[in-house]
Amino acid sequence: MSLSVPDALPGFIIVLQKATALFEEEARARLTTGHASLFESIQHAKDFYARAARAKVRTVRKMEPGAVAEIEVTSWFQGKVVDSKMVYFFEGPLTGHDDFQRIIRHRFTETFQLRPVILLPYGKVGDRWSVSAHSRDENHDSHDYEIKQIYSVGS
């Protein structure tokens, strides 16, 4: 990421606002009646991202809607570090919905990951956990995660 998280987050909120509008258009074109809860979720997201666009970025200790976690991922293979990088995970309304994630990936650049990276019950600065690699083809045995910082525009 070329910008710092506090500098990049406001621009990403604008992307999320646009993606929410596109998601609503697609849902209205595809769905008929009987999906009131989805449209309530969309309206909640529109309201949330409108507030977030006006909010100042601040650091917080725990994940919340509208927050980005800066996570250091260290990959191991046969007891040696083979890669270490920072990833950025955003949590907010609609971000868990597959079609919303598809819109972000295909229409916009995905500055922050929307797919869940943080395992429950983790979600605070300093939390650490390890995950076995999905396959040996990755040339990794395991991945260690540590939340380094959390920034938020949430309420």
Side-chain angles (χ1 to χ4, degrees), residues 40-91:
E40 286 174 16
S41 295
I42 291 170
Q43 186 59 51
H44 168 72
K46 288 167 66 175
D47 296 343
F48 179 88
Y49 293 130
R51 284 190 311 275
R54 296 185 304 271
K56 288 187 174 198
V57 177
R58 65 195 191 330
T59 58
V60 294
R61 297 271 316 138
K62 187 177 179 188
M63 284 301 290
E64 61 184 38
V68 172
E70 188 175 60
I71 304 169
E72 182 176 23
V73 181
T74 305
S75 300
W76 295 83
F77 184 66
Q78 297 179 348
K80 295 181 181 172
V81 173
V82 293
D83 190 28
S84 183
K85 63 184 175 185
M86 295 300 268
V87 297
Y88 305 90
F89 168 66
F90 179 83
E91 181 178 304

Side-chain angles (χ1 to χ4, degrees), residues 3-154:
L3 290 174
S4 69
V5 173
D7 293 336
L9 186 54
F12 189 63
I13 294 298
I14 293 168
V15 167
L16 290 167
Q17 287 178 301
K18 292 176 184 176
T20 301
L22 289 170
F23 181 69
E24 181 178 30
E25 283 178 27
E26 283 188 10
R28 290 198 186 283
R30 191 178 65 233
L31 303 172
T32 54
T33 60
H35 298 280
S37 64
L38 174 61
F39 291 107
E40 286 174 16
S41 295
I42 291 170
Q43 186 59 51
H44 168 72
K46 288 167 66 175
D47 296 343
F48 179 88
Y49 293 130
R51 284 190 311 275
R54 296 185 304 271
K56 288 187 174 198
V57 177
R58 65 195 191 330
T59 58
V60 294
R61 297 271 316 138
K62 187 177 179 188
M63 284 301 290
E64 61 184 38
V68 172
E70 188 175 60
I71 304 169
E72 182 176 23
V73 181
T74 305
S75 300
W76 295 83
F77 184 66
Q78 297 179 348
K80 295 181 181 172
V81 173
V82 293
D83 190 28
S84 183
K85 63 184 175 185
M86 295 300 268
V87 297
Y88 305 90
F89 168 66
F90 179 83
E91 181 178 304
L94 299 179
T95 57
H97 198 286
D98 290 341
D99 286 333
F100 188 77
Q101 291 177 15
R102 177 187 48 77
I103 288 169
I104 293 290
R105 278 192 312 273
H106 291 114
R107 299 266 184 116
F108 306 100
T109 59
E110 190 176 350
T111 305
F112 303 116
Q113 294 186 41
L114 301 180
R115 293 167 304 286
V117 173
I118 300 173
L119 301 176
L120 294 175
Y122 304 102
K124 296 185 298 295
V125 173
D127 281 354
R128 297 174 182 208
W129 66 97
S130 293
V131 177
S132 294
H134 297 295
S135 85
R136 290 285 185 185
D137 295 334
E138 293 183 26
N139 293 324
H140 303 114
D141 292 326
S142 65
H143 304 281
D144 292 342
Y145 296 81
E146 181 180 359
I147 299 175
K148 295 294 192 177
Q149 189 64 260
I150 300 174
Y151 302 92
S152 182
V153 291

